[in-house]
Amino acid sequence: MRILNREQLESVGNRDGRRDVAAIMEAGLTAADPYRNACRLLHREGDFLYVGNALFEADNDPASGVEEINLKQTGDIYVVGAGKGVQRVAKALEEVLGERLAGGEVIAKYGDEPVLQRIHVTFGAHPVPDQGCVEGSMRIEALARRVKPGDLVFTIMGNGCSSLLTLPEEGVDLEDVRRITRLLQIEKGAPTVELNVVRNHIDRLKGGKISMLFGKARQIHLIMTDANHHVIQAARHDYEGLMRGNVWLHNLPEGSTFAQAEEILRRYEVWEECPEGIKALIRRADPGLETIKYEAFARTSFRVFGVMPDSEHFLPAAIREAESRGYHAAVLTQLLQAEASQCAKVLSAVAMNIAEFGEPFEAPVALFSSGEMLVTVDRETGVGGRNQEFALACALGIAGNPRIVIGSVDSDGTDGPGGLKLAGAPSCLGGGIVDGCCAARAKELGIDIRTALRTHNTSEALWRLNDGMWVEQNISLNDLTVILVQGRGSNG
C-alpha cells in the first residue's frame, strides 16, 4: 500500500466518496513503480543479456530492436544514476545481472528505504540539494575514472535528478546552487524546466556531461518516464525530440545555451541577486563547459529506453479503478502547470458546475489532471507543497457541497520540501483529500484555511483535519489529481 493513512483519511466527512478517491489514487500510485517494467525490459539467458522492448523505445529510434550483449565479450558492468525512486530500477538491474554486476553508485532522496546489495546508494536532499548530493556525484565521477573500453554502463535518470545529481563547476559552490534554486523555483515559482537550463550550465555532470564521462564504455540509458514524454522541449515528441529538446534527463544530450540561462535569470528578476560565481560562469559562456549537444553525444555508443511509458503509469490505472467503481472517467489535462491555488479555483468551479447543472459531464464522474503545479512562496516559510495547496484551496471552492471529493498527490509520495513537526505525522506529506465538509470542520477546530494558504503553511492544517496524505516514497511521475462528483442520492 502506498497510502499509509487511509483509515485516517476515510474517517471524516463524505466517507464513501473519500474511500473511492483513496482507492483510485492508491491504484494510480501503485502503478507508478518502474521495477516491474525494468524487469520486462531486460532478461538474461546464460551468457547473453537481452535489452529492449518496443514498448519502451522512443518513436523513430534509428537503433530500434533488442540489444543482444555477449557477457563473455563484455568487461565490467556498472550502474549509475539519480532520481526519486531510482533504486526501483537499480534493483531490477541487480537481480538480472547478478554476479556480473561489478558495482555502481546511485543517488536517492532521503526517506527512501535502502534496498540495493551490489550498488552503493547515497542519499541527498530535494528540491534544494545538500552535501549528500555532492558526495554521491563525486562518487559517480570517481567511478567513471575506472571505466575502460569494453565495459558496459547502465545510467538511470528520472524526476528529482536535477537536485540529487549536483556537482558544481569550478567557481560555483553548493551554497550558490542552493541559493539559485530557492530564488528561482521556491520564491519566484519558475517551472523546473526553466530552472534546469540554469542548473545545467553550472554543473559538471548535468546536461549529458555524466554520459560523456563514461564515453569509453557501451552505455544503456534508462529514463524513468515515457521516451516520447510531453515535457520534451521540442515540437517533435519522438527520438529526435528527446535528443534535441531535453533539459532534465542528464544522461542524455541537452539543447539549451548559456545565453538562455542568463535570459531566464533576468526574466525572473533574480540576476542581480544571483551569486557572483554563477553570474561569472554564465557570462563567460565557455564553449568547453557547454552542455552536450546531440552531435557530440551521437559519437558515443548507446541506446535509450523509457521504462515508464504513458500506457503503463498512474493515469490508466487510476481510470480503470474509477470505472470499476461506477464513475465515468475523463482526463481534463496532463499539462497542468500554473499556481496551485489558481488551479484549485478553476477545477473546483468545474466540479461545482457538474454537481449543480450536469455540465460539462453528468455525475457520477471522476475527472483527472496531471502535470506539475506551482507554488510561489516569496519570503513565506510555511510547510506545504503544491498538491496540498491545491487540495486545501479546493476545500474552500467546494464548501457545503455534499457530493464532491477532491484528492491531489505528488506521485513520488513527497509534496514539497517537508519539515512538518506534529506528533504522529510524517515530516513531508504527499498531498491531501478534501470534501465539501472540510471548511465547516476547519471552522469548528479553529483552523484558518485562508491564513494557511496565504502563508503556504498547508501541511499542518491538512493533518489536523485528517485530510493530509502520508505516502510511501517511490518514482516521481508528476501530480495526480482526482475530482469525484457523486451522483444524486449518493452518501454526503
Side-chain angles (χ1 to χ4, degrees):
M1 298 287 284
R2 291 286 308 279
I3 303 174
L4 303 177
N5 66 326
R6 279 184 64 172
E7 185 174 340
Q8 176 186 2
L9 291 165
E10 298 167 7
S11 67
V12 294
N14 181 348
R15 299 186 183 190
D16 283 354
R18 283 171 168 265
R19 258 190 298 274
D20 285 345
V21 167
I24 292 166
M25 298 182 88
E26 178 67 41
L29 289 167
T30 299
D33 184 346
Y35 169 77
R36 177 176 61 90
N37 283 352
C39 289
R40 294 167 64 191
L41 176 66
L42 68 164
H43 69 281
R44 182 176 171 183
E45 296 178 9
D47 291 323
F48 287 88
L49 177 68
Y50 297 92
V51 184
N53 185 316
L55 179 64
F56 306 122
E57 291 181 3
D59 293 343
N60 303 313
D61 185 338
S64 178
V66 177
E67 292 281 303
E68 181 183 83
I69 299 169
N70 187 334
L71 296 177
K72 285 186 174 181
Q73 298 174 4
T74 302
D76 292 328
I77 304 177
Y78 299 99
V79 174
V80 297
K84 302 173 187 177
V86 66
Q87 290 187 90
R88 299 298 293 164
V89 175
K91 179 178 171 62
L93 292 173
E94 277 194 341
E95 292 176 355
V96 172
L97 294 169
E99 79 290 347
R100 282 295 279 115
L101 182 59
E105 175 72 34
V106 297
I107 310 170
K109 183 178 177 178
Y110 292 127
D112 286 354
E113 290 294 325
V115 299
L116 302 179
Q117 304 297 320
R118 297 174 180 269
I119 301 167
H120 185 265
V121 185
T122 300
F123 293 93
H126 179 278
V128 181
D130 68 354
Q131 188 60 33
C133 303
V134 173
E135 291 173 1
S137 298
M138 290 175 67
R139 290 191 179 101
I140 290 174
E141 190 179 51
L143 179 61
R145 290 193 285 270
R146 292 162 46 189
V147 170
K148 58 190 182 300
D151 288 348
L152 174 64
V153 177
F154 286 88
T155 72
I156 311 167
M157 292 288 157
N159 278 346
C161 64
S162 295
S163 174
L164 297 171
L165 188 75
T166 293
L167 191 59
E169 290 279 11
E170 186 176 349
V172 177
D173 61 30
L174 174 61
E175 193 51 47
D176 293 338
V177 179
R178 290 169 58 85
R179 174 64 176 150
I180 201 61
T181 303
R182 289 194 195 97
L183 275 172
L184 268 179
Q185 188 161 53
I186 297 175
E187 294 185 17
K188 298 296 184 178
T192 302
V193 291
E194 292 190 304
L195 172 62
N196 277 356
V197 171
V198 176
R199 290 192 292 200
N200 294 354
H201 286 89
I202 59 174
D203 196 276
R204 282 155 45 189
L205 297 184
K206 291 187 179 72
K209 297 173 190 175
I210 183 174
S211 297
M212 300 306 281
L213 286 181
F214 291 94
K216 294 179 182 177
R218 172 68 168 164
Q219 296 180 73
I220 296 178
H221 303 304
L222 306 181
I223 55 177
M224 294 189 287
T225 183
D226 189 302
N228 304 295
H229 203 281
H230 56 73
V231 299
I232 294 170
Q233 303 298 293
R236 292 179 57 168
H237 289 183
D238 62 358
Y239 183 86
E240 180 77 9
L242 183 64
M243 292 294 108
R244 298 189 185 276
N246 164 62
V247 296
W248 67 284
L249 295 161
H250 301 301
N251 51 355
L252 302 184
E254 197 263 19
S256 70
T257 65
F258 278 104
Q260 288 173 313
E262 181 172 345
E263 186 276 327
I264 288 167
L265 290 168
R266 291 188 182 278
R267 175 154 44 87
Y268 282 95
E269 300 181 341
V270 298
W271 178 257
E272 297 306 321
E273 298 179 70
C274 187
E276 286 301 321
I278 292 178
K279 287 198 289 188
L281 186 65
I282 289 175
R283 276 194 302 249
R284 191 164 73 247
D286 184 343
L289 301 180
E290 182 58 275
T291 54
I292 308 303
K293 308 312 178 198
Y294 177 56
E295 288 72 19
F297 194 90
R299 291 195 287 270
T300 64
S301 174
F302 73 93
R303 287 292 305 278
V304 179
F305 298 98
V307 297
M308 288 303 296
D310 286 346
S311 62
E312 299 288 312
H313 70 54
F314 60 67
L315 270 179
I319 288 169
R320 286 193 296 270
E321 181 64 27
E323 291 174 340
S324 76
R325 291 173 175 266
Y327 295 93
H328 169 67
V331 177
L332 296 178
T333 179
Q334 296 184 58
L335 302 171
L336 195 61
Q337 191 171 66
E339 286 290 326
S341 58
Q342 299 306 309
C343 293
K345 287 181 180 179
V346 173
L347 295 186
S348 60
V350 171
M352 290 288 281
N353 203 74
I354 293 170
E356 294 298 319
F357 306 113
E359 293 288 346
F361 302 100
E362 285 281 354
V365 65
L367 306 178
F368 295 88
S369 65
S370 182
E372 188 175 87
M373 293 181 286
L374 308 171
V375 176
T376 303
V377 304
D378 199 13
R379 304 290 181 178
E380 297 291 349
T381 58
V383 177
R386 58 184 185 257
N387 291 276
Q388 296 167 73
E389 187 132 337
F390 174 85
L392 197 58
C394 282
L396 296 178
I398 62 173
N401 192 295
R403 297 165 49 209
I404 302 173
V405 183
I406 297 176
S408 192
V409 65
D410 189 323
S411 56
D412 80 336
T414 57
D415 184 49
L420 182 62
K421 296 178 181 178
L422 287 178
S427 171
C428 189
L429 299 182
I433 295 177
V434 299
D435 58 32
C437 308
C438 291
R441 284 193 292 112
K443 188 173 182 180
E444 290 174 4
L445 294 170
I447 298 170
D448 188 335
I449 291 178
R450 285 182 171 81
T451 297
L453 289 168
R454 178 175 51 79
T455 59
H456 308 293
N457 194 37
T458 51
S459 292
E460 181 176 349
L462 286 168
W463 190 258
R464 289 178 59 196
L465 286 165
N466 287 334
D467 293 341
M469 296 178 67
W470 185 353
V471 183
E472 181 184 50
Q473 292 183 202
N474 203 316
I475 188 177
S476 174
L477 293 172
N478 291 337
D479 305 326
L480 170 61
T481 295
V482 181
I483 299 172
L484 212 63
V485 185
Q486 296 171 309
R488 294 188 183 278
S490 298
N491 175 36

